[in-house]
Amino acid sequence: MPAVRKLARIATVVTLASVPVFVTHVAFAERGKHGSNGQTKQYGNAGDDGTLSAGVIVFDRSKNGTGTSAGPVTSTTSWTPPACWYAPKYTPAQLKANLEPIWNAESTGSQWDLEQRNKYEKGGEAPGTYKDFNKDKTGKGYWWDSYVNESFPPGWDKCTKPIFWVDKGDPPPADIENAVTPKILAELAYNEIRVPGTKVTLAPANATKVNLPTWAWLDGAAFKPVSVTASVPALGISATTTAEPVSLKIEPGTADAQTYPASGVCEINNGHIGEPYAKGKANETPPCGVKYLRSSGDGTHPLKATITWKIHWTGTGVPGGDLPDGTFGATQDVTVQEIQAVNR
């Protein structure tokens, strides 16, 4: 029943176009400076002038991967970052400004409105009830509420706990799953990680040859650790999630091919991914590459290159740890010609 009521309230708020600034469970404020690779991204209450209020979650993405081909990593396990979470959202005055227009609209039912008034406005005696939105505690804590991942992945509607109060310096209630902590911030930052595209450089460059080893490598300058820091300034906590490249996997796009090494997985070596071809190495075996055994005819072979990133985090007052590895890959067309020998 709480979930139904919460969703009903969401629907009600969406219809109140005349209500001044307030943020609901599915609302968020984003102030990215440079699109998906911008420096900051903020979840929480924000006025039109960009003034932020209690509980904003800020993502600093200035050390993220950049470029038009950059993209998010995919966990190598079934784990996914939280689809919803709880964090500070309102001061007493902001909660009042948020709830009273909903009650006055009388669209959520008189019984529901009365229960809410008795909980947040006219309570104070019974456990779990409050008087005048805890106005007497202004500056001493925040009202916490749920937030959701803006892409609404599976589980986004699981955070159905009613709005609750937490004094400054106190932890959120133990029964609140996904209440924001440094670890939760690290997991949310995982979702914001962007890594460089994975188009590999091949030699020969324009068209490789049947039965001739083709060298493959990536621009070492582009493949360095990237990181995102998530913070809740109101709580003074933060976490930084870092992704480091560890290997490149090559899939030739056809069974008629041989990879180097045989596993197709090229480990990172001294910060390098593969080795650029140099004149005079035509008869050598590349440390990372592929040999096609048949031509691509009038078409091409879809070579896929996937980088595995090792991901770990550190946070305020905690040692941090590892998060599941992530992968990011791309496919490129390779032309293979039926020529047995070539001078280069």
Side-chain angles (χ1 to χ4, degrees):
M1 190 63 178
V4 174
R5 287 174 171 172
K6 176 168 274 194
L7 291 174
R9 184 151 69 89
I10 292 170
T12 301
V13 172
V14 171
T15 65
L16 298 177
S18 62
V19 176
V21 175
F22 59 85
V23 178
T24 67
H25 300 275
V26 299
F28 61 93
E30 183 168 346
R31 296 290 185 267
K33 294 182 180 179
H34 304 291
S36 63
N37 293 317
Q39 183 173 0
T40 61
K41 176 180 179 180
Q42 301 149 348
Y43 282 91
N45 289 339
D48 291 338
D49 62 354
T51 301
L52 304 176
S53 59
V56 174
I57 300 178
V58 179
F59 295 91
D60 181 348
R61 301 184 295 192
S62 60
K63 296 180 181 179
N64 220 352
T66 59
T68 57
S69 60
V73 295
T74 299
S75 171
T76 57
T77 71
S78 60
W79 176 88
T80 58
C84 66
W85 60 92
Y86 297 92
K89 186 178 283 189
Y90 307 107
T91 64
Q94 289 167 346
L95 183 61
K96 180 178 180 179
N98 182 45
L99 292 182
E100 284 191 334
I102 299 172
W103 298 339
N104 293 336
E106 299 182 349
S107 59
T108 50
S110 59
Q111 180 62 33
W112 170 248
D113 293 344
L114 178 61
E115 291 176 3
Q116 293 292 289
R117 285 188 183 277
N118 288 339
K119 180 177 179 67
Y120 296 108
E121 183 181 37
K122 301 184 181 300
E125 301 297 330
T129 66
Y130 310 89
K131 183 178 180 180
D132 197 17
F133 305 94
N134 257 8
K135 188 175 181 180
D136 62 334
K137 285 194 171 185
T138 298
K140 299 179 181 179
Y142 300 107
W143 289 104
W144 289 46
D145 198 6
S146 61
Y147 294 80
V148 301
N149 182 314
E150 67 212 54
S151 62
F152 302 101
W156 72 268
D157 56 349
K158 299 299 184 182
C159 295
T160 58
K161 297 286 187 181
I163 300 168
F164 56 93
W165 178 267
V166 179
D167 287 331
K168 281 186 176 180
D170 286 352
D175 65 335
I176 304 294
E177 186 178 1
N178 284 0
V180 70
T181 60
K183 186 174 187 297
I184 292 294
L185 288 177
E187 293 174 350
L188 294 174
Y190 186 111
N191 211 43
E192 300 296 321
I193 288 285
R194 298 294 181 269
V195 296
T198 55
K199 183 176 181 179
V200 296
T201 302
L202 302 174
N206 298 321
T208 188
K209 318 301 176 184
V210 170
N211 293 324
L212 181 68
T214 299
W215 293 57
W217 68 94
L218 286 163
D219 181 3
F223 285 87
K224 297 183 181 299
V226 300
S227 65
V228 172
T229 297
S231 62
V232 182
L235 301 180
I237 62 173
S238 66
T240 298
T241 299
T242 301
E244 301 182 63
V246 293
S247 64
L248 163 68
K249 181 177 182 180
I250 292 180
E251 298 172 85
T254 174
D256 294 318
Q258 176 184 337
T259 56
Y260 304 100
S263 64
V265 177
C266 307
E267 301 293 339
I268 304 298
N269 185 18
N270 294 324
H272 298 288
I273 306 175
E275 180 182 329
Y277 172 77
K279 187 176 180 179
K281 293 185 175 182
N283 295 321
E284 295 184 19
T285 299
C288 182
V290 60
K291 179 168 68 175
Y292 286 97
L293 307 179
R294 291 179 182 272
S295 76
S296 57
D298 295 330
T300 57
H301 291 310
L303 181 147
K304 184 176 182 180
T306 303
I307 293 285
T308 295
W309 298 78
K310 184 174 179 60
I311 301 178
H312 56 89
W313 68 278
T314 58
T316 304
V318 291
D322 293 331
L323 290 170
D325 290 351
T327 61
F328 182 66
T331 300
Q332 61 196 82
D333 295 329
V334 177
T335 300
V336 182
Q337 297 176 341
E338 191 69 60
I339 299 177
Q340 300 301 320
V342 63
N343 293 323
R344 56 172 179 163

